[in-house]
Amino acid sequence: MNTSEFRRRGKEMVDYVANYMEGIEGRQVYPDVEPGYLRPLIPDSAPQEPDTFEDIINDIEKIIMPGVTHWHSPYFFAYFPTASSYPAMLADMLCGAIGCIGFSWAASPACTELETVMMDWLGKMLELPKAFLTENAGEGGGVIQGSASEATLVALLAARTKAIHRLQAASPELTQAAIMEKLVAYSSDQAHSSVERAGLIGGVKLKAIPSDGNFAMRASALQEALERDRAAGLIPFFVVATLGTTTCCSFDNLLEVGPICNKEDMWLHVDAAYAGSAFICPEFRHLLNGVEFADSFNFNPHKWLLVNFDCSAMWVKKRSDLTGAFRLDPTYLKHSHQDSGKLFRSLKMWFVFRMYGVKGLQAYIRKHVQLSHEFESLVLQDPRFEICAEVTLGLVCFRLKGSNKVNEALLQRINSAKKIHLVPCHLRDKFVLRFAICSRTVESAHVQRAWEHIKELAADVLRAERE
């Protein structure tokens, strides 16, 4: 493809994308295909001669779209949102064109420097403590990761390295292996599975702290675990506090947990993957109180802040904790300016922040929160249903009063009908349906239609139950 064809095809692709986004409401939100549907539809090996662009585009509708779950449909209420906006898509195009890999400042100065500045912009939007910002030559700073899972792993590995160095400095005879088998990390029993995975990859024990009646980790339960483990000769070194859990968007008590971590010399990592975006609104900023006790903090602009995947924002109080844990400097990468970025993902942040402005982003968050409360009030008006966790942001956990079996049947009918898409969770022993406000284009009318649909299917389920 030469430049003139690229110009032509690029314009066609922008039209195709715009038409897709405009018409997404008319597409069935969840596909009809069975596993393995795609292989018989395409050749079993790559073509020897080039195909035409027309053939490829035709195959998108014929082969790809039938197997797509439309995450940006206003009838998609599953998981959590994944961000999408036109400014971010345009920035993605430019990022692909520049195609730099910013493994050091010299590899692409703009890439490294824009990331640093964008992370400071975003940190100020969240009113993060100054210790997390790079400006004014502070020790802290932000870096873009691929996901919250990656950020948790990076924090755990940095904390592990720091703990090993500290213990070996005090007792030089201790081997790394001897220390590793005693290290223990903690998170709430409501934390994302990626925290457990970080423990597995990091080769350390991870213990789940029982959460309270609001599905939050509290100081008393953490303190109890620490005392028990220290008495058993273990070395507590790392705690993950979750703000906005995946199951029900509950919030660990940072103001209680933070001081314990500081007193016990444990690294505190705060995971606010979904909820973090909301903290740009003054009325939700209190949910981040206690972040001043943290060593690292992370959330995903690629979930709820209109910056396309992947863009996970991570801040640390001491950059040297990360660089010390991961630095390997072969000669060909050595340069007088060593702090580095990676891909040019900060371009997406720059485009989105400038084209929406802080006020536009706040309005977007507020609209989603308002829609979730609208759905909550509809559920509360129907005596057959119950709300299962406090509705704070854009997620409503609800179920039919009654057995898990009834709720499993309801979810099965909802997802078989394919008019809307939901996923479940377990809260203690209850099977619960999650209704997350996800799409950039979702309106009150979509929420109302979704609820009418749920009510009809619930009536069918209850009728079948009685028969």
Side-chain angles (χ1 to χ4, degrees):
M1 184 183 283
N2 59 24
T3 306
S4 63
E5 191 184 359
F6 175 69
R7 284 181 196 279
R8 190 166 89 255
R9 300 306 189 186
K11 286 167 186 160
E12 287 171 16
M13 182 54 81
V14 167
D15 281 339
Y16 180 86
V17 169
N19 290 336
Y20 169 71
M21 298 307 288
E22 269 191 331
I24 199 167
E25 190 174 332
R27 292 181 185 259
Q28 183 174 286
V29 63
Y30 193 75
D32 273 326
V33 299
E34 294 296 324
Y37 91 95
L38 189 140
R39 189 172 283 276
L41 300 179
I42 59 176
D44 56 12
S45 54
Q48 295 297 316
E49 300 297 329
D51 279 346
T52 66
F53 190 75
E54 280 89 353
D55 287 342
I56 297 168
I57 287 295
N58 290 338
D59 283 346
I60 295 280
E61 282 299 330
K62 259 195 341 236
I63 297 167
I64 303 301
M65 285 299 178
V68 169
T69 301
H70 298 287
W71 279 60
H72 300 290
S73 164
Y75 294 113
F76 182 92
F77 301 105
Y79 311 109
F80 271 138
T82 180
S84 172
S85 67
Y86 292 127
M89 288 182 217
L90 292 173
D92 256 347
M93 282 177 70
L94 181 55
C95 181
I98 293 171
C100 66
I101 302 173
F103 46 68
S104 69
W105 180 88
S108 194
C111 175
T112 301
E113 295 198 11
L114 186 64
E115 180 164 329
T116 305
V117 177
M118 286 304 98
M119 291 298 289
D120 276 358
W121 274 21
L122 187 51
K124 287 177 185 172
M125 283 156 66
L126 298 165
E127 293 180 26
L128 280 185
K130 283 191 167 56
F132 287 105
L133 305 182
T134 312
E135 66 176 18
N136 305 326
E139 286 186 278
V143 62
I144 300 174
Q145 305 286 1
S147 65
S149 308
E150 197 179 306
T152 302
L153 176 61
V154 165
L156 180 136
L157 295 176
R160 188 187 75 179
T161 301
K162 197 174 181 180
I164 290 168
H165 288 169
R166 186 178 70 236
L167 291 160
Q168 285 182 327
S171 311
E173 75 283 358
L174 281 176
T175 64
Q176 183 166 323
I179 294 169
M180 287 269 292
E181 65 182 23
K182 291 188 170 181
L183 289 177
V184 57
Y186 305 88
S187 69
S188 153
D189 58 9
Q190 299 298 310
H192 192 265
S193 59
S194 61
V195 179
E196 195 178 339
R197 196 160 56 240
L200 284 171
I201 296 168
V204 297
K205 295 173 189 66
L206 180 90
K207 300 204 172 181
I209 304 297
S211 52
D212 70 3
N214 293 318
F215 307 102
M217 175 164 61
R218 303 294 297 272
S220 53
L222 177 62
Q223 191 74 58
E224 202 178 298
L226 294 178
E227 285 165 13
R228 196 169 52 241
D229 289 343
R230 284 201 196 281
L234 296 174
I235 305 168
F237 81 107
F238 183 71
V239 175
V240 177
T242 307
L243 301 181
T245 57
T246 305
T247 46
C248 65
C249 199
S250 59
F251 291 79
D252 288 342
N253 195 317
L254 257 194
L255 287 167
E256 286 186 2
V257 168
I260 292 178
C261 294
N262 287 186
K263 182 165 117 309
E264 302 273 356
D265 208 6
M266 296 186 299
W267 182 299
L268 174 60
H269 176 68
V270 176
D271 173 10
Y274 160 69
S277 297
F279 305 154
I280 67 167
C281 300
E283 65 270 32
F284 299 122
R285 174 57 182 76
H286 69 276
L287 295 166
L288 187 56
N289 289 352
V291 73
E292 59 272 17
F293 299 110
D295 296 275
S296 52
F297 167 70
N298 167 257
F299 86 98
N300 292 340
H302 69 226
K303 273 197 168 70
W304 204 17
L305 210 58
L306 295 166
V307 181
N308 296 8
F309 187 84
D310 60 346
C311 181
S312 185
M314 178 185 187
W315 290 265
V316 285
K317 268 201 187 131
K318 290 185 75 171
R319 290 197 303 279
S320 58
D321 286 338
L322 290 195
T323 52
F326 302 110
R327 174 155 286 169
L328 291 170
D329 287 340
T331 307
Y332 56 85
L333 296 186
K334 281 197 185 294
H335 190 271
S336 53
H337 302 281
Q338 287 291 100
D339 280 0
S340 68
K342 290 182 293 295
L343 306 173
F344 214 161
R345 292 178 286 207
S346 53
L347 270 178
K348 296 185 283 197
M349 297 169 82
W350 196 44
F351 273 48
V352 169
F353 296 167
R354 292 182 68 185
M355 293 197 74
Y356 278 87
V358 176
K359 287 186 174 169
L361 294 170
Q362 289 171 335
Y364 175 68
I365 298 287
R366 285 172 179 144
K367 179 184 168 187
H368 274 198
V369 175
Q370 185 189 337
L371 289 174
S372 75
H373 285 299
E374 184 178 333
F375 183 79
E376 177 192 24
S377 70
L378 292 169
V379 174
L380 289 170
Q381 286 163 33
D382 191 319
R384 299 171 301 172
F385 287 87
E386 61 183 345
I387 295 289
C388 305
E390 187 183 353
V391 178
T392 309
L393 299 176
L395 175 68
V396 183
C397 290
F398 73 108
R399 73 197 293 275
L400 278 167
K401 291 172 184 169
S403 68
N404 284 348
K405 193 165 142 269
V406 163
N407 284 284
E408 285 165 16
L410 173 58
L411 183 70
Q412 206 270 325
R413 283 186 190 240
I414 288 169
N415 285 336
S416 296
K418 297 180 171 132
K419 287 189 174 175
I420 64 173
H421 189 40
L422 303 185
V423 293
C425 70
H426 277 95
L427 291 176
R428 307 284 184 243
D429 54 355
K430 285 184 173 180
F431 183 90
V432 171
L433 281 63
R434 294 169 77 265
F435 189 95
I437 305 296
C438 290
S439 168
R440 181 173 53 81
T441 57
V442 66
E443 299 288 347
S444 173
H446 301 114
V447 170
Q448 301 271 355
R449 278 199 285 273
W451 175 240
E452 289 304 316
H453 180 57
I454 291 166
K455 281 199 306 186
E456 281 170 29
L457 295 179
D460 294 344
V461 166
L462 294 171
R463 197 175 305 118
E465 175 86 350
R466 284 193 301 271
E467 284 164 6

